[in-house]
Amino acid sequence: MQRMNSLFFLPVLLGSDMNVYGMARSFHEAYDIQSVAIAKKKLGATMDSKIVKVLVEEPNLEDDEVFVKTLVDFAGRYPDKTLLLVPCGDNYIKLLVRNQEALRPYYKFECISEELLMKLSIKESFYQVCTEHGFAFPKTTTISADSYKGFVPPFDFPVVIKPSNSVAYWNCHFPYKKKVFVANDQAEFDAITEAIYGSTYQDHLIIQEFIPGDDSGMRVMNCFCGKDKKVKLIALGHPLLEEHSPEGIGSYAAIIGDNDPALARQMKSFLEGIGYVGFANFDMKYDPRDGKYKLFEMNLRQGRSSFFVTAEGYNLATFLVNDVLLSQPMGCVIATDSALWSVIPKSIIFKYVKDEDLKEEARQLIADKHYVHTFHYEPDMSLKRWIYYLKNQLNYFKKYRKYYGNKGLH
């Protein structure tokens, strides 16, 4: 733990979910400091915590004027503090980028331009950037509210259906809604697209070929780029299992550290080539048909599962503080140490992961005490947090029994 005068800075986290808790834990482990948070509402992940306090709940926080006023008013509470602003969700990073000039007098942060954000956050234009930098991605097309009826995908089933605009999709509602769908035939495809466009979501949908293989074919890469637009950290993770509940599909539940020097070099070249700043999170899947990683998307922030990087010994908070607050010169760190990170009970990992070699690697990491669960943090284990943790873990048994393998409209 790096001892630092607690008067020096205060982490202000935007959101209240697991990502926020993971960042708060990173700050607490590194600096023995309590973070504060501003969010639309309090979520269970951060309730009753001693390492992060949600001090502002503003249901209209996604309105630009409300966002700026809320953050400026909040900064007025701490005239003598250096406030380090950390967005922890897609909606919050977009709000920050759009309003960065209004907030710079009050907070310390670095972020990309609005032009680059638009280029990277809309999946169609993101895939164009991938092509320009030599990244492979699944065969992809798009449909709209005007073109989906009678549409036949130009590649074989099964196909993946997901929103181009994740923020707009998050705010829509319809029966059997899932974060991502997989359609196995034309009838299922038609039913899913009809359900989506029968809701308030009217933006484009991304239609992709399904890359063969189970959850363990996925890879996740987390990077941090300094304000000099140079990459400071690259950490590759090998997911063992994803969540399978409707709202959690595609979110990683257990990860083991990995290392691919060639992929790291390619990602470093890509990020520095586009002049990126801040955290970035990439989802990809290994395609056994051609031996290539197929890039799915880029999140313009640390990912929900990014605490696996801190768990391996590469504390995310320290990279942010060293760059944004201390302006320390840093080279590029490529993570090579490994740990098993999860948000689910260990028994679920060993029940649902099919690859025996991965399970053996997980067992060895547990035996070597290189196992970390985001919510199992001894300094924060009050009675209420214990109760939350136990309920959260028991709920996963129900979720996997009910939803495992179900990515259709049912």
Side-chain angles (χ1 to χ4, degrees):
M1 181 183 293
Q2 299 180 29
R3 292 294 176 183
M4 184 174 290
N5 188 336
S6 62
L7 294 176
F8 170 53
F9 79 103
L10 177 67
V12 180
L13 312 180
L14 297 179
S16 63
D17 64 358
M18 187 177 83
N19 192 357
V20 171
Y21 190 84
M23 283 305 300
R25 180 170 169 179
S26 294
F27 278 110
H28 192 264
E29 287 189 7
Y31 305 111
D32 193 22
I33 192 171
Q34 183 190 70
S35 299
V36 296
I38 299 171
K40 289 176 64 178
K41 63 179 180 179
K42 290 181 181 179
L43 299 176
T46 48
M47 282 185 181
D48 303 307
S49 172
K50 291 182 286 189
I51 66 171
V52 57
K53 296 294 183 185
V54 180
L55 296 184
V56 177
E57 290 182 83
E58 173 48 70
N60 297 316
L61 196 57
E62 290 181 2
D63 177 277
D64 286 83
E65 289 186 11
V66 174
F67 178 75
V68 172
K69 184 180 186 308
T70 300
L71 266 67
V72 170
D73 288 348
F74 184 78
R77 300 187 192 182
Y78 301 94
D80 300 323
K81 289 264 192 179
T82 296
L83 303 179
L84 179 61
L85 192 58
V86 188
C88 298
D90 294 328
N91 50 348
Y92 295 121
I93 187 65
K94 290 179 180 180
L95 286 161
L96 177 60
V97 168
R98 287 200 300 265
N99 299 288
Q100 57 185 287
E101 295 310 317
L103 294 174
R104 286 192 186 279
Y106 307 95
Y107 293 90
K108 294 290 186 181
F109 62 89
E110 295 295 335
C111 64
I112 58 176
S113 67
E114 190 170 1
E115 179 185 7
L116 184 55
L117 178 139
M118 294 306 297
K119 194 173 185 180
L120 297 174
S121 60
I122 301 299
K123 290 181 174 63
E124 296 97 321
S125 54
F126 170 63
Y127 289 132
Q128 180 59 42
V129 176
C130 289
T131 301
E132 293 168 1
H133 288 84
F135 280 105
F137 54 89
K139 293 175 184 176
T140 302
T141 188
T142 62
I143 58 174
S144 68
D146 297 324
S147 67
Y148 78 94
K149 290 187 177 179
F151 180 85
V152 178
F155 30 80
D156 294 337
F157 286 100
V159 300
V160 176
I161 304 170
K162 57 187 177 182
S164 175
N165 187 332
S166 57
V167 175
Y169 188 74
W170 180 258
N171 291 318
C172 82
H173 303 280
F174 58 91
Y176 308 112
K177 177 185 172 183
K178 291 182 172 67
K179 186 179 174 184
V180 177
F181 286 98
V182 175
N184 292 292
D185 54 40
Q186 187 66 48
E188 193 170 15
F189 179 89
D190 292 342
I192 292 168
T193 53
E194 183 73 34
I196 294 172
Y197 282 124
S199 75
T200 57
Y201 184 84
Q202 298 297 298
D203 215 323
H204 285 78
L205 291 174
I206 303 290
I207 312 301
Q208 285 182 334
E209 65 171 334
F210 179 80
I211 304 300
D214 62 16
D215 296 352
S216 65
M218 296 297 297
R219 299 293 187 276
V220 56
M221 181 172 274
N222 284 271
C223 305
F224 178 75
C225 300
K227 54 191 175 185
D228 61 358
K229 300 181 180 179
K230 299 295 182 182
V231 177
K232 309 302 180 186
L233 172 67
I234 298 177
L236 180 65
H238 186 163
L240 305 184
L241 201 59
E242 295 180 356
E243 294 196 27
H244 284 255
S245 60
E247 72 282 357
I249 291 174
S251 297
Y252 304 118
I255 296 174
I256 284 177
D258 203 351
N259 185 27
D260 186 319
L263 183 61
R265 286 193 299 270
Q266 186 180 13
M267 193 62 75
K268 185 174 186 292
S269 175
F270 166 66
L271 290 168
E272 294 181 354
I274 64 175
Y276 194 79
V277 176
F279 287 112
N281 169 262
F282 298 88
D283 294 316
M284 61 194 85
K285 190 173 185 179
Y286 179 78
D287 191 337
R289 298 171 299 183
D290 59 13
K292 295 180 179 179
Y293 290 113
K294 303 293 172 68
L295 201 56
F296 287 166
E297 64 180 345
M298 174 184 183
N299 295 307
L300 311 181
R301 52 174 172 78
Q302 71 281 13
R304 179 177 176 275
S305 59
S306 293
F307 192 76
F308 88 85
V309 183
T310 295
E312 292 175 350
Y314 307 91
N315 190 298
L316 294 175
T318 62
F319 285 88
L320 195 60
V321 169
N322 289 345
D323 181 67
V324 176
L325 298 186
L326 302 180
S327 299
Q328 288 186 358
M330 294 183 285
C332 180
V333 175
I334 298 178
T336 55
D337 293 338
S338 185
L340 169 61
W341 165 89
S342 83
V343 290
I344 57 176
K346 286 177 277 191
S347 60
I348 289 181
I349 298 174
F350 296 113
K351 179 176 180 178
Y352 289 96
V353 174
K354 298 173 184 176
D355 189 307
E356 292 299 328
D357 290 337
L358 286 176
K359 287 199 281 190
E360 183 54 38
E361 186 176 353
R363 289 189 186 96
Q364 189 59 54
L365 287 167
I366 292 169
D368 293 340
K369 301 189 184 306
H370 296 311
Y371 168 73
V372 175
H373 188 295
T374 293
F375 292 132
H376 194 282
Y377 186 42
E378 288 296 338
D380 201 25
M381 279 308 205
S382 64
L383 178 60
K384 287 183 177 180
R385 288 298 298 181
W386 263 112
I387 292 171
Y388 168 77
Y389 170 75
L390 292 172
K391 285 183 175 179
N392 174 271
Q393 295 302 280
L394 288 172
N395 197 33
Y396 274 116
F397 289 105
K398 299 176 185 177
K399 286 181 177 181
Y400 276 88
R401 279 197 302 269
K402 184 173 182 180
Y403 296 116
Y404 184 76
N406 176 6
K407 296 182 178 180
L409 192 68
H410 55 86

